[in-house]
């Protein structure tokens, strides 16, 4: 490939230009490209973006730039980028089209999930690229509003086979690791020019003689930064340049450059300085708005000519500063009073109908004392931002509204609302500051209760242990005098917090919380789902498992019946209902809730909730013996978490490793327990011991399994204790600890009988059989198999065939033993449960039967994502439907499907049923 020569002004950037040339070649060849140009201010990022756009022949180009003062306006950067494509939104699926319209304020509607907006943008770019390769450049991405940055990062991570290039320029050292949404994407770090290029560039802009010592000092101080080389000499006199006077300067480079621009601005006439200030305060670059504001400020037309002649700004279809640092310099050069005057003029010049939010923001910046009218306007802007899904923008509007509220009581109420929005925007520390401010205001008792609840929720979100429990109980106590519904929700949150704290919350902690919650006002009749769940969990912990089971089963039945209708409560309380269903051995509720939760999350694009739903659904697949389906969902969950930047959910992954009998499961369990301890999450410690017991039982290491199961049973963890009892019975029966096994069986009998599900009764019969003899044991094993055959938990059915076969062999009933051991081996081997399958194989060999080891799973070599897409295609979904479900573009789906076809040696979808065996259920 022949590279284009760098144009004038890009001295010393040949390698970077060649990289951009190659990016264009790959994009035109249907290989999506993402690149982050990262470097300090003035190093040449914008110039390289200009080079890319100029050389993007035969491509459509889209441009956007982050603006520091726009960071509080939701979707501002995204709208700027997508505006030229808005005429093509009719090609998008309905939910995506509607989400984009609401986000951009083009229509009213429910708050769209920001990642559904991301999918809409991905689809929009992919559709546009079908006609012509598309090059999108985003300058000053460090100043994008939060939701635009998150959305574009999502799009960047989902591009694969589209003719789309997405290139960002980001100033180095402006974002922390937690704030940099683009971290981890391919990047090109720009350094200063080499000394010879830097000297040549410097000499090209300095008239007359340049002393070599001055030249070398400037090159050294600027570290080859092109903008610094061009701008700093303007502040030096001819004598300084020619005479070798030292240039003392200890300021950071960006400040040096900005100071240089400030000196140039301060040398301009006052009207010109004021015009530049107005343009700096108006980030959109709307020339007509700038003109109207200038008239209000009595700025003459000659001011624009002087600003343009100074080389600091251009006036075309939009006002465009030469460099973002010119904008910041113009704003900083003015005193606060001048800034307020300019913002006031901009507010007066802004149309309140077409752009009420920017008008409100300018009015807020112009205010120098509390003003209820402005605060109210900001509050309405916050409502509009929240309706578009711009929670960070809403939080910023509400915070400023709080500051401008003159009435102390109203200021306190607004501070609480602002804190809620700030917390939801992912800034818990700032939310706590607002709550502290609210506490100094005269709040009524209801508001103080809400404040206390929010503070407790923040504590729970930051450390999922028992610290939040007393705070939630106190909040519930305050709220129950004024708002029964909020009080009962706070009590349920307190129980949930205590459940997670587990053994680290102290013995009797859950019972005390349940007793406190029992004193709460009764819920409405008929009860809401949240009230039914609270009543069930209160009975479970205040009265014990057996007495509490009927109420908890009734609550789970209500959730199951409402799963397809009451989507909000299903999503909000899935984390607790999932644990409660496991506690009741209720595999039907597991199946129903996770099916609807995943479907709802996909339909609404709720990517903050979808990973949790996928994790729980993956666990359902593990218990059903559908390990490949579970693996695909875990991979999808991890991919989404990588995009959203949220913490990874490790439970399903470790559960799958354990049931597969992977050696690395032990290390994963240990790491998870250590992490949980730092968070105060004692339940995870109990989970680690339970899964250790499963792992050791799979390997036939019964003494280790017994020790782990006994540690797991030291605390009654919701949804874990019963499972641990089951492992303890088997380990004790095989590990010569009959007394420990019998004691565990007695506790297990109470729970499984109270549950009454086929899963529970099957496991009870199996556990009894393990400690029985003769015909009694034989009948119990058969009873266990009959119950479990009617359940969805195939791995437990396979294990029952295994222990029954082992018992039959010890009874010298070899023919009968072979039947059940062969069934167990084939089931476990097909699942991929290697350790348990090996146990079955060894037992079969002991009966005299020859058994060959087989590789688990299908020998197709598909990656998890290829397998997932192929299974969905086998189920009849189109590429567009698969794309919407998996948050990909149709072209990327086509790419993965093509690779799957090649590996399966087929040429069409019609051949998928034969080439890709059905594991039992296509996952939702």
């Amino acid at each position: 490939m022949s590279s284009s020569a760098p144009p004038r002004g890009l001295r010393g950037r040949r390698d970077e230009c060649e990289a951009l040339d190659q990016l264009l070649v790959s994009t035109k060849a249907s290989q999506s490209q993402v690149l982050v140009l990262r470097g300090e201010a003035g190093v040449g990022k914008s110039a390289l973006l200009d080079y890319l756009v100029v050389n993007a022949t035969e491509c459509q180009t889209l441009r956007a730039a982050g603006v520091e003062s726009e960071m509080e306006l939701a979707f501002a950067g995204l709208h700027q980028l997508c505006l030229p494509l808005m005429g093509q939104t009719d090609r998008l699926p309905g939910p995506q089209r509607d989400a984009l319209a609401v986000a951009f304020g083009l229509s009213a509607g429910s708050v769209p999930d920001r990642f559904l907006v991301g999918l809409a943008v991905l689809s929009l770019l992919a559709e546009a690229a079908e006609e012509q390769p598309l090059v999108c450049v985003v300058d000053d991405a460090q100043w994008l509003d939060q939701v635009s940055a998150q959305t574009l990062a999502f799009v960047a991570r989902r591009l694969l086979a589209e003719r789309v290039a997405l290139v960002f320029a980001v100033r180095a050292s402006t974002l922390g690791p937690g704030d940099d949404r683009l971290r981890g994407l391919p990047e090109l770090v720009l350094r200063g020019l080499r000394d010879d290029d830097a000297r040549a560039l410097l000499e090209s802009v300095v008239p007359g003689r340049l002393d070599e010592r001055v030249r070398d000092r400037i090159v050294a101080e600027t570290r080859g930064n092109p903008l610094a080389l061009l701008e700093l000499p303007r502040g030096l006199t001819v004598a300084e340049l020619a005479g070798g006077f030292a240039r003392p300067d200890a300021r950071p480079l960006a400040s040096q450059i900005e100071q240089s621009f400030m000196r140039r601005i301060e040398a301009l006439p006052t009207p010109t300085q004021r015009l530049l200030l107005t343009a700096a305060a108006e980030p959109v670059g709307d020339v007509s708005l700038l003109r109207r504001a200038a008239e209000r400020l009595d700025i003459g037309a000659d001011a624009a000519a002087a600003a343009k002649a100074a080389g600091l700004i251009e006036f075309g279809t939009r006002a465009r500063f030469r460099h973002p640092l010119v904008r910041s310099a113009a704003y900083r050069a003015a005193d606060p009073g001048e800034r307020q005057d300019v913002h006031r003029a901009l507010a007066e010049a802004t149309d309140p109908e077409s752009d009420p939010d920017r008008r409100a923001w300018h009015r807020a910046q112009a205010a120098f004392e509390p003003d209820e009218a402005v605060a109210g306007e900001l509050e309405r802007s916050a409502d509009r931002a929240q309706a578009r899904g711009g929670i960070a923008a809403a939080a910023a509007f509400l915070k400023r509204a709080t500051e401008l509220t003159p009435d102390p009581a109203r200021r306190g109420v607004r501070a609480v609302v602002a804190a809620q929005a700030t917390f939801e925007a992912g800034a818990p520390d700032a939310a706590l500051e607002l709550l502290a401010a609210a506490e100094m205001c005269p709040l009524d008792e209801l508001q103080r209760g809400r404040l206390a609840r929010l503070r407790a929720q923040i504590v729970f979100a930051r450390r999922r242990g028992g610290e939040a429990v007393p705070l939630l109980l106190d909040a519930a106590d305050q709220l129950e005098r004024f708002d029964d519904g909020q009080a009962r929700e706070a009590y349920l949150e307190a129980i949930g917090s205590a459940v997670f704290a587990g053994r680290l919350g102290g013995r009797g902690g859950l019972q005390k919380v349940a007793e406190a919650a029992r004193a709460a006002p009764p819920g409405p009749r008929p009860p809401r789902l949240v009230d039914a769940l609270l009543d069930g969990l209160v009975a479970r912990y205040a009265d014990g498992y057996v007495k509490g089971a009927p109420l908890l089963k009734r609550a789970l039945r209500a959730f199951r019946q409402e799963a397809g209708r009451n989507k909000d409560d299903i999503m909000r309380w899935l984390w607790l209902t999932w644990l409660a269903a496991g506690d009741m051995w209720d595999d039907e509720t597991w199946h129903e809730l996770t099916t609807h939760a995943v479907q709802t999350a996909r339909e609404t694009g709720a990517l903050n909730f979808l990973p949790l739903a996928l994790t729980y659904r993956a666990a359902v697949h593990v218990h059903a013996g559908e390990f490949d389906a579970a693996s695909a969902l875990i991979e999808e969950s991890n991919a989404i978490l990588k995009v959203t930047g949220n913490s990874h959910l490790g439970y399903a992954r470790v559960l799958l490793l354990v049931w597969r009998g992977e050696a690395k499961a032990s290390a994963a369990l240990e790491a998870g327990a250590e992490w949980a301890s730092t968070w105060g999450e004692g339940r995870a410690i109990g989970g680690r011991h339970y899964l250790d017991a499963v792992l050791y039982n799979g390997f036939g290491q019964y003494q280790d399994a017994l020790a782990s199961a006994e540690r797991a049973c030291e605390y009654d963890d919701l949804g874990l204790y019963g499972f641990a009892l089951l492992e303890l019975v088997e380990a004790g029966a095989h590990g010569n600890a009959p007394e420990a096994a019998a004691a565990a069986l007695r506790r297990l009998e109470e729970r499984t009988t109270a549950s009454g599900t086929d899963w529970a009764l099957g496991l009870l019969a199996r556990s009894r059989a393990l400690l029985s003899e003769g015909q009694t044991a034989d009948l119990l094993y058969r009873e266990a198999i009959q119950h479990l055959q009617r359940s969805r938990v195939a791995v437990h059915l396979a294990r029952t065939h295994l222990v029954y076969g082992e018992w039959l062999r010890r009874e010298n009933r070899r023919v009968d033993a072979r039947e059940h051991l062969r069934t167990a081996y084939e089931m476990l081997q097909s699942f991929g449960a290697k350790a348990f399958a090996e146990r079955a194989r060894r037992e079969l060999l002991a009966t005299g039967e020859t058994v060959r080891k087989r590789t688990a799973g299908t020998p197709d070599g598909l990656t998890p994502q290829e397998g997932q897409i192929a299974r969905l295609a086998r189920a009849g979904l189109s590429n567009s439907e698969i794309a919407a479900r998996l948050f990909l573009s149709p072209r990327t789906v086509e790419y993965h499907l093509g690779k799957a076809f090649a590996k399966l040696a087929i040429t069409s979808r019609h051949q998928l049923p034969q080439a890709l065996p059905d594991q039992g259920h296509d996952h939702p």
Side-chain angles (χ1 to χ4, degrees):
M1 184 197 75
S2 61
S3 63
S4 303
R8 187 176 181 182
L10 284 184
R11 186 185 298 273
R13 294 297 184 200
R14 184 173 297 278
D15 290 346
E16 290 84 351
C17 291
E18 287 180 352
L20 295 178
D21 290 340
Q22 183 56 54
L23 177 144
L24 290 172
V25 170
S26 298
T27 302
K28 294 174 184 178
S30 298
Q31 299 171 17
S32 297
Q33 299 291 303
V34 176
L35 185 64
V36 179
L37 300 177
R38 198 178 293 276
E40 63 186 1
V43 80
K45 303 181 297 295
S46 299
L48 284 169
L49 291 184
D50 290 339
Y51 170 84
L52 177 65
V53 170
V54 167
N55 286 276
T57 55
E58 303 175 4
C59 299
Q60 182 180 1
T61 58
L62 301 178
R63 297 197 72 153
V67 179
E68 191 170 10
S69 56
E70 287 266 271
M71 292 179 73
E72 310 300 348
L73 297 177
F75 295 108
L78 196 65
H79 185 260
Q80 187 185 155
L81 184 72
C82 295
L83 188 60
L85 302 180
M86 293 306 291
Q88 302 179 36
T89 55
D90 57 339
R91 303 182 188 178
L92 302 181
Q96 297 179 31
R97 181 175 63 250
D98 295 342
L100 205 60
V102 172
F104 290 165
L106 303 176
S107 65
S110 57
V111 179
D113 184 279
R114 66 174 182 269
F115 293 104
L116 181 58
V117 176
L119 179 58
V121 173
L122 175 64
S123 300
L124 188 65
L125 299 183
E127 285 289 340
E130 288 294 319
E131 298 178 359
Q132 189 178 16
L134 188 62
V135 176
C136 308
V137 298
V138 182
D139 205 355
D140 285 312
Q142 75 279 355
W143 286 337
L144 285 172
D145 59 280
Q146 184 184 72
V147 71
S148 290
Q150 291 170 331
T151 304
L152 288 172
F154 168 84
V155 172
R157 290 183 170 92
R158 305 308 276 180
L159 288 169
L160 178 65
E162 301 79 10
R163 296 192 299 173
V164 176
L166 190 51
V167 183
F168 303 90
V170 180
R171 187 184 298 182
S173 304
T174 55
L175 297 171
D179 299 321
D180 190 351
R181 302 294 177 181
L182 305 179
R183 189 169 297 278
L185 294 175
E187 66 178 37
L188 178 61
V189 178
L190 300 185
R191 315 284 182 192
L193 299 178
R194 293 181 305 181
D195 285 355
D196 54 346
D197 288 316
R199 291 189 193 99
L201 178 62
L202 181 61
E203 290 172 348
S204 71
V205 295
V206 174
R209 182 178 179 276
L210 176 62
D211 187 277
E212 290 183 4
R213 290 168 296 175
V214 174
R215 180 197 63 192
D216 291 344
R217 183 172 184 85
I218 292 175
V219 168
E221 287 183 347
T222 59
R223 300 184 304 280
N225 183 288
L227 184 62
L229 289 164
L230 294 171
E231 294 298 329
L232 291 182
R234 297 174 184 265
L236 301 178
T237 65
V238 174
E240 286 175 312
L241 290 170
F245 293 106
R247 179 172 155 73
D249 205 333
R251 294 185 301 274
L253 179 59
S255 179
Q256 293 182 41
I257 302 170
E258 196 171 4
Q259 287 289 341
S260 173
F261 283 132
M262 287 180 69
R263 286 194 296 270
R264 293 173 62 185
I265 290 168
E266 290 166 351
L268 296 171
T270 299
T272 305
Q273 292 184 44
R274 203 159 219 213
L275 179 65
L276 289 172
L277 170 61
T278 309
E282 196 292 293
V284 181
D286 186 336
V287 175
S288 59
L289 173 61
L290 188 59
R291 188 178 299 114
R292 294 195 300 272
E295 290 174 357
R296 285 172 168 78
L297 294 166
D298 294 325
I299 299 173
D302 55 345
K308 185 177 180 180
L312 298 174
I313 194 169
E314 298 174 358
F315 298 101
T317 55
R318 287 186 177 275
R320 182 180 178 186
F321 282 96
R322 175 183 174 184
H323 190 276
L325 288 177
V326 179
R327 180 189 298 277
S328 60
Y331 198 79
R332 292 175 195 272
D335 63 48
E338 290 176 318
R339 295 176 196 165
Q340 289 174 331
D341 291 343
V342 162
H343 280 293
R344 189 174 300 107
L346 285 166
E348 293 169 356
T350 300
D351 185 352
E353 297 297 325
S354 63
D355 206 349
D357 296 338
R358 281 200 178 86
R359 180 177 183 274
W361 191 250
H362 284 308
R363 288 192 70 194
Q365 299 306 309
F368 58 88
E369 61 183 15
D371 186 322
E372 178 56 35
V374 177
E377 197 172 337
L378 286 170
E379 198 168 41
R380 290 187 290 275
S381 289
D383 291 340
R384 286 189 292 269
Q386 205 148 11
R388 295 195 300 271
I391 189 67
F397 283 129
L398 288 167
K399 182 177 184 295
R400 183 61 176 151
T402 300
E403 295 166 352
L404 292 175
T405 302
D407 178 63
R410 180 170 287 185
R411 184 165 61 250
V413 172
R414 280 178 174 152
V416 174
V417 176
Q420 180 75 54
T422 303
F423 173 50
E424 292 174 5
D429 291 338
L432 288 173
E433 289 179 8
L434 283 163
L435 289 181
E439 284 178 316
M440 294 188 292
C441 299
L443 298 174
D444 61 30
E445 291 300 313
L446 175 59
Q447 289 299 329
R448 291 203 173 276
R450 290 174 176 170
L451 185 153
R453 183 184 176 193
L454 178 55
R455 184 185 296 280
Q457 289 172 334
I458 294 172
V459 169
F460 181 61
R462 298 175 74 176
R463 182 176 170 83
R464 296 175 69 88
E467 294 177 13
V469 173
L471 299 177
L472 285 164
L473 289 177
D474 180 61
D477 181 62
Q478 295 182 54
L479 286 167
E480 66 183 28
R481 295 190 290 274
F482 305 96
D483 190 324
D484 291 352
Q486 282 204 48
R488 290 177 65 80
E489 289 181 12
Y491 278 121
L492 186 56
E493 289 167 348
I495 289 177
S497 181
V499 163
F500 274 93
R503 63 194 64 205
L504 296 181
R507 289 199 173 275
L510 262 166
Q511 186 174 359
K512 293 176 184 176
V513 175
E515 293 288 358
R518 172 164 278 171
R525 291 290 178 264
R528 302 174 302 164
L529 292 182
V530 62
D531 296 307
L533 183 58
L534 175 63
D535 291 341
L537 288 171
V538 165
R540 159 73 169 83
Y541 283 105
D543 301 328
Y545 187 98
V546 175
K547 290 184 179 179
L551 274 179
L552 194 51
K553 288 195 290 184
R554 188 183 308 164
L556 293 172
R557 186 164 56 250
F559 268 88
R560 191 166 63 244
Q561 291 169 348
E562 290 291 316
R565 296 188 293 270
N566 194 337
K567 298 177 180 179
D568 289 342
D569 276 344
I570 297 303
M571 291 196 295
R572 183 178 179 189
W573 299 107
L574 178 65
W575 60 285
L576 258 183
T577 52
W578 160 265
L579 298 179
D583 207 51
M584 290 288 114
W585 313 91
D586 188 348
D587 52 318
E588 281 299 322
T589 294
W590 262 11
H591 172 74
E592 290 291 328
L593 289 184
T594 57
T595 296
H596 286 287
V598 171
Q599 288 175 345
T600 298
R602 293 196 194 284
E603 290 168 2
T604 60
L607 259 71
N608 275 329
F609 171 72
L610 180 56
L612 182 69
L614 291 171
T615 293
Y616 288 143
R617 183 64 191 173
V620 172
H621 282 300
V622 172
H623 286 276
E626 299 160 1
F627 290 5
D628 287 348
S631 179
L633 294 187
I634 292 167
E635 289 292 328
E636 182 184 350
S637 175
N638 289 340
I640 295 169
L641 289 167
K642 185 177 180 181
V643 168
T644 60
N646 293 333
S647 299
H648 278 252
L649 305 167
Y651 172 72
R653 172 180 169 270
V654 177
L655 179 71
L656 182 57
L657 288 174
V658 165
W659 276 97
R660 278 181 165 163
E662 299 283 357
K664 60 184 176 183
S666 293
L669 285 167
E670 185 176 357
E674 289 179 3
W675 175 87
S677 296
T678 63
W679 274 63
E681 193 173 326
R683 186 181 180 280
I685 297 173
R688 178 260 174 96
H689 294 314
Y690 154 65
L691 290 174
D692 267 336
V694 176
L695 189 66
Y696 290 132
N697 271 333
F699 287 127
Q701 299 173 9
Y702 299 116
Q703 294 301 323
D704 291 330
L706 180 66
S708 293
E710 287 179 331
R711 284 194 289 271
C713 291
E714 289 172 356
Y715 189 88
D716 186 359
D717 285 302
L718 185 69
L720 285 174
Y721 184 76
F723 291 99
L725 288 173
L726 181 72
E727 300 301 327
L728 202 162
V729 171
E730 182 171 338
H734 286 311
N736 298 317
E739 293 182 1
L745 177 59
R746 287 192 292 273
R747 287 177 281 171
L748 186 66
E749 284 174 333
E750 290 184 347
R751 290 166 180 261
T752 50
T753 303
S755 164
T757 66
D758 278 312
W759 184 6
L761 296 177
L763 295 180
L764 173 60
R766 184 180 96 193
S767 298
R768 283 173 170 170
L770 281 164
L771 298 179
S772 300
E773 297 177 352
Q775 187 178 7
T776 300
D778 192 68
L779 291 174
L780 285 168
Y781 278 125
R782 292 180 181 276
E783 179 188 343
I785 289 172
Q786 289 175 354
H787 279 298
L788 292 171
Q789 283 175 334
R790 293 194 290 268
S791 76
R792 295 179 178 274
V793 286
V795 293
H796 300 281
L797 174 61
R799 281 183 67 177
T800 302
H801 280 292
L802 171 59
V803 294
Y804 186 22
E806 290 172 334
W807 179 81
L808 288 167
R809 186 189 67 78
R810 290 194 301 273
E811 293 290 306
N812 291 318
R813 295 167 55 181
R814 293 194 173 193
V815 174
D816 293 337
R818 286 170 186 163
E819 176 189 347
H820 289 281
L821 289 171
R822 191 180 303 112
T823 298
Y825 178 69
E826 290 174 353
M827 291 180 70
L828 293 164
Q829 190 70 16
S830 69
F831 302 159
K834 295 183 295 185
F836 284 107
E838 178 60 18
R839 236 177 85 178
R841 191 184 75 86
R842 290 197 304 267
E843 289 288 331
L844 273 171
L845 290 173
T847 67
E849 182 162 313
T850 302
V851 186
R852 290 185 304 170
K853 284 190 176 182
R854 298 203 304 265
T855 303
T858 56
D860 48 45
L862 300 183
T863 66
Q865 189 162 50
E866 289 166 358
Q868 186 179 24
I869 289 172
R871 278 192 292 273
L872 292 172
R874 182 191 61 198
L877 276 69
S878 69
N879 283 5
S880 295
E881 290 168 331
I882 297 171
R885 176 172 289 195
L886 301 184
F887 296 90
L888 302 168
S889 76
R891 184 178 279 270
T892 290
V893 170
E894 181 182 358
Y895 171 81
H896 283 301
L897 204 53
K899 295 186 71 175
F901 282 4
K903 291 179 180 180
L904 295 171
I906 61 176
T907 57
S908 74
R909 290 169 179 257
H910 302 298
Q911 297 169 285
L912 279 171
Q914 291 75 37
L916 196 65
D918 189 346
Q919 270 203 331
H921 303 283
D922 282 312
H923 52 273

